[in-house]
Amino acid sequence: MSSAQKLKIRPARAPGSAGPGGSSASATAHADAMAVVTSATRVIYTQSASTLSFEQIYRNAYQLTLARRGDQLCSALIATLSELLKATVDDRLAPLITDLSFPVPSTTSTDADAAPSSTASAWTVASPESLAALGGDQGRLFLATVLGVWDHFVTTMKLVSDVLMYLDKNYLIERRLPTSWEMGLLVFRDHGLRSTSTNVRGALRACLLAQIQADREGLVTDQGLIKRAIAMLVDLGDSAADPLRLRHPTNIFGESLPTTACSVYAADFERAFLASSGLYFARKSTDMLATLDSASYLQRVDEILAHEDARAATGGVHRSTRAALMRTIHDTMLVAHHAHVLAGVVAPLALASAENAVEACLGRAYRLYAQVDGKVGLEVLRKAVVQKIRDIGCAAPVEATIAIGRQGMNGGAAGATEQGDDDEPPAGGTPIGTSAPSSIMSVGSAAGATAPASSSAAAATKPARGRTGTATAGDAPDQASSEALKWVSHVVGVQRLINHVQLRCFASDPLFERGLHDVETVVINHAPRAPEYLALFLDHHLKRSTKQSDADADAAVKNALSVFQFLQQRDEFDRFYSQCLSRRLLRKSSASDEAEQSVIAQLRSMAGAQFTVRMEKMLTDMAMSAEIAADFEVHRRVIVATTDNPLIATGPGLIVNVLTSASWPVGGTASASASALAAAPEGSRAAAELAAGPAAAVVYPDAVRAMMTVFEEYYAKRFSRRVLTWMPSLGTADVTAYYKAKRELSVTTYTMVVLMLFNRHDTWTYEDMLTETGIPAPELKRTLQSVSVGKVALLTKSPMTSKAVNAGDTFTFNASFTHKMTRIKIAAIVGTTRAEGDADRASVHADVDQERRHLVDAAIVRVMKARRRLVHNELVAEVTRIVTPRFICQPTLIKKQIETLIDREFLERSPSDTREYHYVA
């Protein structure tokens, strides 16, 4: 080839273009080639492929493709496969279908494009007869036969697609037409599964549904057949695809086929499967609820969900069906019965419930309903649990979970130290017997020795010789304390239940956490006396006389403080707790100073520093009083050594508590008030309170009065310009009484004043004692009850028609009194009647109301001073925010105080808008 020659490549000539008569020859050649391919397809379908030359078949298909006869080849192939498949269906499947009785939609107007839930009424659950047939051997035989036809057809199409590979790559794919394999699937879909002469589609679907129902009923099934049938439906692809414009049938045996894009699996099986599953599980749930309780029902539902989830995971249905199947079970078995089921779930919930049982039941309910779309079930569960816990918490506690001791008669208490009966009278005193005594009572002269007191009195006593024992009924709580112990224990039990279900059952779900937090607040603040109960509970566990270990006391205090976190009326708690704290401090009955300081520190961290200012000042006062008492003892000894006054020289000792007026609570007759001075003979302790008016003019014994004067002179020199007011209601004294044997009596200051009268006369009338002692009538009656009608009858009351002390009653020294103990502790009777307790409580509430008005006034003035002008609603909101840490303020109170401040010219209304206030500078 020379360089001048050019290489020219021409396209191959199409058959029939060469010479005359070529068109007729090519048509014949094309027909022969087409016959070879279709004939080979028939041979392959009859499983005789070994007799064929695949090279020849491939060459003929190649030539047809080059001759642009691909469309004709596809049409011939489809016609051949359709004919072969139809014959197979009629021969192998039609006889089996004739013997089957299977359900079909009950109406021919079913909307095939509708959602599964809307077609549920067109399907029914298999009857026992159908289940035995379709779900048994007949159904398995039909499925096996269908799958045999499918496997044979797939094998045929694999071989056919191999010989038509050139057609697929160079003709069909370029024109975006289905490949030979895909055309085979369309043929099987339209002429095998959806045959118009034999209802293969309905029979296959009925057998699959029956086999799945049989599996759900626990019958023996062939899961392999079911999985293969599902895989076949999935492999058949799109249900409505018609790329070759063959006009597939749209109605088969009265059932409309979907016209929208969806898979054969969805159109021919999934919709019916979900509809029948809905009916099955709806019927199943009704049957289960008739025989199972809620806990067992949810357990069974959990097992069903796990089983159906495993079905989707292992190919029993396609994985795309899992979400819809789970939603169907949720709707039919959970949502449809949520009210009944959840009511049964929370019904057994109680404080005494076993934690494992509660966790299993509520935890499963939460986990199951958390899977439900829309979380409707969770909201219902939350409301049911919250309401149940609210009912439990707001119910009256049946019994306390903390052991409570025996309650003493009339609230009195007696304690004693065992000692011999042959003790001598104190040196320097006059030994008096029971025959003709000139003095039967004397105030002890121990030099400031102190000891713990009972729950009703504070004392300073001299230790006695001999073996010591206690028999104190005063350690038992009174009615209010018993109620407080029960209530707080009940509330703590509710808190533990809430914490358990929140952490272990609801996985700290914020939705449940908010609801349970709110119900905890409601439960704790439901009781009108919640602040008082909480203060009394802490008082009980912070006393030294409570018989419990340090660990138990710490746990009880921790529980009480957890309740305090949710308390709304904290200002009431402040009042009641301050009263209890003052009694513990004045009576030296605290378990330890460290415990008191720890509680106050925790209260400060929860409620702020301002909340505990008075409590901290009370502790400071007691520490200062101890220093004053030590210094006064030195001063007293000097005075005793140098004085000529026999009352002072031989008089009793004195221990005084000096209290700041603004820090100590104002209480009734049985508690210290806002500021106090405590004074008592040496070896005893008395408390002095600063009352709203002048102190009660109690007539003390001369020796005691003389020593009180010494202390007043000492205090005036050390602290000038301070006024002391003696208040004896919380004081105690040690009195030595001479009956058949000497007895050491630890009594209140009022009791000491009364008993010392009997050194003058053996018999006194109530009216005479009221005049001689100056003790207020209510206090005198309680004092006389404690020593005449209690366990320790030092005096004899006449007449004894009742235990109440009335005008005209007489009291006589009980010379025949005996007791196995030498040291006897007699506590004052506190709150002998409900009316007295209610009166004291009403007094506290009155003080709280007054303080609230002052706080609201201060908050209003503070806000208005900063803002200068403000509308009513904004002012109410700001004031509420300020005072909420101490109490829940009602808008009516704020409105009332606004009017008061307007009258007092702190505020004025805007001339242009009556809802706006201006601050008056």
Side-chain angles (χ1 to χ4, degrees):
M1 180 182 297
S2 64
S3 60
Q5 293 178 334
K6 295 182 179 180
L7 180 64
K8 186 175 182 180
I9 302 177
R10 295 182 178 88
R13 289 182 297 179
S17 61
S23 176
S24 176
S26 62
T28 302
H30 295 159
D32 293 342
M34 192 76 68
V36 170
V37 175
T38 55
S39 177
T41 301
R42 292 177 181 276
V43 173
I44 291 172
Y45 191 81
T46 58
Q47 299 181 343
S48 301
S50 60
T51 62
L52 298 175
S53 172
F54 282 87
E55 181 182 357
Q56 181 185 5
I57 303 170
Y58 183 88
R59 185 167 54 250
N60 282 276
Y62 173 78
Q63 291 175 355
L64 291 172
T65 303
L66 290 179
R68 303 180 185 279
R69 301 297 176 91
D71 290 343
Q72 298 175 14
L73 179 59
C74 290
S75 298
L77 180 63
I78 291 174
T80 302
L81 291 173
S82 300
E83 178 186 350
L84 294 172
L85 186 59
K86 183 177 182 303
T88 302
V89 169
D90 292 341
D91 293 342
R92 299 184 59 185
L93 299 181
L96 296 177
I97 294 175
T98 304
D99 297 335
L100 292 176
S101 175
F102 52 88
V104 295
S106 57
T107 175
T108 59
S109 62
T110 300
D111 185 2
D113 296 326
S117 59
S118 64
T119 62
S121 60
W123 302 95
T124 59
V125 179
S127 63
E129 295 78 10
S130 298
L131 187 63
L134 302 180
D137 293 338
Q138 285 184 280
R140 286 193 291 272
L141 176 61
F142 181 77
L143 289 179
T145 305
V146 171
L147 292 173
V149 173
W150 164 253
D151 291 341
H152 174 63
F153 188 82
V154 167
T155 302
T156 299
M157 288 310 305
K158 286 182 178 179
L159 294 176
V160 171
S161 63
D162 287 342
V163 298
L164 299 180
M165 186 180 302
Y166 189 81
L167 173 69
D168 292 340
K169 291 183 177 180
N170 296 278
Y171 184 82
L172 299 177
I173 294 178
E174 287 182 359
R175 289 163 176 76
R176 296 184 178 181
L177 295 174
T179 63
S180 57
W181 168 261
E182 293 170 344
M183 283 189 292
L185 295 179
L186 293 174
V187 169
F188 191 89
R189 180 195 71 184
D190 296 336
H191 300 283
L193 179 63
R194 295 178 177 177
S195 171
T196 56
S197 60
T198 303
N199 194 2
V200 178
R201 179 175 182 259
L204 176 64
R205 179 179 58 212
C207 288
L208 282 175
L209 295 179
Q211 289 288 320
I212 292 175
Q213 182 177 338
D215 176 64
R216 288 169 174 168
E217 297 289 350
L219 302 178
V220 177
T221 58
D222 190 339
Q223 291 297 311
L225 288 176
I226 298 175
K227 294 176 183 178
R228 289 171 57 198
I230 296 299
M232 177 192 73
L233 294 174
V234 172
D235 291 343
L236 287 176
D238 196 295
S239 172
D242 190 14
L244 300 179
R245 310 289 182 183
L246 298 179
R247 294 184 179 181
H248 304 297
T250 58
N251 189 287
I252 301 174
F253 291 94
E255 291 187 57
S256 299
L257 297 177
T259 57
T260 57
C262 65
S263 65
V264 173
Y265 167 79
D268 291 13
F269 171 74
E270 184 184 48
R271 293 171 185 261
F273 168 72
L274 294 176
S276 63
S277 294
L279 293 174
Y280 172 80
F281 289 120
R283 186 195 69 180
K284 186 75 173 177
S285 63
T286 302
D287 295 341
M288 289 165 53
L289 286 172
T291 57
L292 300 176
D293 59 16
S294 295
S296 302
Y297 176 81
L298 288 178
Q299 182 178 0
R300 183 72 185 106
V301 171
D302 200 9
E303 295 171 356
I304 290 173
L305 286 169
H307 183 74
E308 297 300 320
D309 186 64
R311 185 190 308 282
T314 57
V317 293
H318 192 254
R319 60 180 178 273
S320 62
T321 309
R322 179 190 179 279
L325 177 59
M326 295 296 107
R327 185 165 54 251
T328 299
I329 300 175
H330 292 156
D331 291 343
T332 55
M333 305 196 79
L334 295 177
V335 176
H337 307 287
H338 66 264
H340 175 75
V341 172
L342 295 179
V345 167
V346 301
L349 192 62
L351 296 182
S353 300
E355 291 186 355
N356 293 336
V358 171
E359 180 179 350
C361 188
L362 283 180
R364 181 178 288 111
Y366 170 79
R367 179 166 48 81
L368 292 178
Y369 279 94
Q371 302 170 12
V372 177
D373 294 340
K375 308 297 183 183
V376 177
L378 282 187
E379 180 62 20
V380 174
L381 177 61
R382 183 190 69 83
K383 290 181 178 179
V385 171
V386 166
Q387 184 60 44
K388 180 64 176 180
I389 293 180
R390 180 173 182 172
D391 293 342
I392 294 172
C394 295
V398 177
E399 59 182 4
T401 56
I402 299 176
I404 299 175
R406 295 183 299 106
Q407 187 169 348
M409 178 184 299
N410 296 326
T417 300
E418 189 172 328
Q419 189 173 346
D421 291 338
D422 54 351
D423 292 303
E424 297 294 331
T430 305
I432 301 298
T434 59
S435 55
S438 60
S439 176
I440 57 175
M441 301 286 178
S442 65
V443 181
S445 57
T450 62
S454 73
S455 60
S456 300
T461 61
K462 178 181 178 181
R465 301 188 305 273
R467 185 168 56 89
T468 301
T470 58
T472 304
D475 289 342
D478 56 18
Q479 181 180 358
S481 296
S482 298
E483 292 175 358
L485 291 174
K486 293 179 182 179
W487 181 82
V488 176
S489 299
H490 175 76
V491 170
V492 169
V494 174
Q495 284 186 314
R496 289 174 179 170
L497 178 62
I498 289 175
N499 293 336
H500 178 76
V501 299
Q502 171 64 20
L503 296 176
R504 303 293 297 276
C505 301
F506 303 142
S508 298
D509 189 322
L511 174 67
F512 284 80
E513 187 172 358
R514 288 192 297 271
L516 293 175
H517 181 278
D518 293 341
V519 75
E520 195 168 356
T521 302
V522 171
V523 167
I524 290 175
N525 294 280
H526 172 74
R529 297 174 62 184
E532 178 185 2
Y533 285 156
L534 187 57
L536 292 175
F537 182 87
L538 282 169
D539 181 59
H540 176 80
H541 289 284
L542 289 174
K543 283 180 179 177
R544 184 185 304 162
S545 58
T546 304
K547 295 178 176 63
Q548 60 180 349
S549 64
D550 292 343
D552 292 340
D554 293 342
V557 170
K558 181 179 179 181
N559 291 333
L561 293 176
S562 69
V563 175
F564 175 79
Q565 290 180 327
F566 297 90
L567 192 65
Q568 293 177 339
Q569 310 301 340
R570 293 184 173 182
D571 54 345
E572 290 187 26
F573 170 83
D574 181 19
R575 285 285 180 171
F576 286 112
Y577 185 77
S578 296
Q579 284 189 355
C580 296
L581 176 61
S582 68
R583 287 196 292 266
R584 290 197 303 274
L585 294 179
L586 292 175
R587 298 167 181 172
K588 298 297 183 183
S589 60
S590 294
S592 66
D593 293 340
E594 292 77 9
E596 298 287 0
Q597 293 170 357
S598 175
V599 171
I600 293 175
Q602 294 180 69
L603 291 174
R604 181 172 61 248
S605 66
M606 295 179 187
Q610 189 65 30
F611 184 78
T612 58
V613 168
R614 287 189 294 190
M615 303 177 193
E616 293 170 346
K617 183 57 178 175
M618 291 166 70
L619 296 180
T620 303
D621 285 349
M622 295 306 297
M624 181 63 69
S625 295
E627 296 179 7
I628 292 175
D631 187 63
F632 174 69
E633 177 62 19
V634 175
H635 174 76
R636 186 189 69 84
R637 293 180 183 274
V638 173
I639 296 297
V640 169
T642 59
T643 185
D644 294 332
N645 188 341
L647 293 176
I648 297 177
T650 60
L654 188 66
I655 298 175
V656 182
N657 287 325
V658 182
L659 313 177
T660 305
S661 59
S663 302
W664 292 74
V666 176
T669 58
S671 61
S673 69
S675 175
L677 174 80
E682 183 172 318
S684 62
R685 184 182 303 271
E689 302 172 358
L690 182 63
V698 176
V699 180
Y700 297 96
D702 294 341
V704 175
R705 179 69 260 179
M707 192 56 63
M708 292 168 65
T709 302
V710 172
F711 180 83
E712 289 171 348
E713 294 173 353
Y714 157 81
Y715 192 82
K717 291 180 180 178
R718 182 170 177 177
F719 303 99
S720 60
R721 302 176 63 181
R722 292 190 183 182
V723 179
L724 299 178
T725 303
W726 293 88
M727 301 296 293
S729 60
L730 282 180
T732 62
D734 271 359
V735 178
T736 302
Y738 298 95
Y739 291 91
K740 294 180 179 179
K742 185 181 73 173
R743 293 290 181 265
E744 297 287 342
L745 306 178
S746 178
V747 297
T748 67
T749 303
Y750 284 144
T751 306
M752 178 266 295
V753 173
V754 169
L755 292 179
M756 294 299 287
L757 292 177
F758 289 86
N759 283 332
R760 295 159 55 185
H761 303 288
D762 287 346
T763 301
W764 290 82
T765 64
Y766 167 75
E767 290 78 6
D768 290 342
M769 284 191 286
L770 187 62
T771 302
E772 289 289 333
T773 62
I775 299 175
E779 291 293 335
L780 180 59
K781 289 181 179 180
R782 279 194 285 265
T783 300
L784 291 172
Q785 280 183 312
S786 66
V787 293
S788 63
V789 298
K791 288 185 177 180
V792 182
L794 303 177
L795 307 177
T796 302
K797 176 179 174 292
S798 179
M800 277 296 293
T801 54
S802 69
K803 293 183 178 180
V805 175
N806 302 309
D809 290 348
T810 60
F811 297 86
T812 305
F813 177 72
N814 185 9
S816 61
F817 170 77
T818 59
H819 201 282
K820 64 180 181 179
M821 299 295 183
T822 300
R823 180 173 297 148
I824 306 170
K825 187 191 308 180
I826 306 173
I829 296 176
V830 179
T832 56
T833 65
R834 178 175 295 274
E836 291 174 349
D838 292 342
D840 291 342
R841 195 173 300 112
S843 175
V844 172
H845 286 301
D847 294 339
V848 169
D849 291 340
Q850 180 67 24
E851 184 178 9
R852 287 180 178 179
R853 288 192 291 270
H854 293 330
L855 288 174
V856 172
D857 287 346
I860 293 172
V861 172
R862 185 202 303 179
V863 172
M864 292 301 300
K865 189 174 183 180
R867 304 285 290 273
R868 310 304 296 181
R869 61 177 58 191
L870 208 59
V871 296
H872 178 80
N873 290 341
E874 292 182 3
L875 178 58
V876 171
E878 285 292 323
V879 173
T880 301
R881 181 185 60 80
I882 292 174
V883 301
T884 294
R886 286 193 64 87
F887 67 98
I888 301 299
C889 184
Q890 298 299 325
T892 53
L893 175 60
I894 299 177
K895 182 178 180 180
K896 180 179 179 181
Q897 296 310 116
I898 290 175
E899 298 295 335
T900 302
L901 291 174
I902 292 176
D903 294 340
R904 294 162 59 188
E905 298 183 353
F906 282 90
L907 306 177
E908 65 179 6
R909 283 191 172 88
S910 172
S912 59
D913 187 357
T914 57
R915 295 176 302 173
E916 184 178 76
Y917 306 110
H918 294 175
Y919 177 71
V920 179

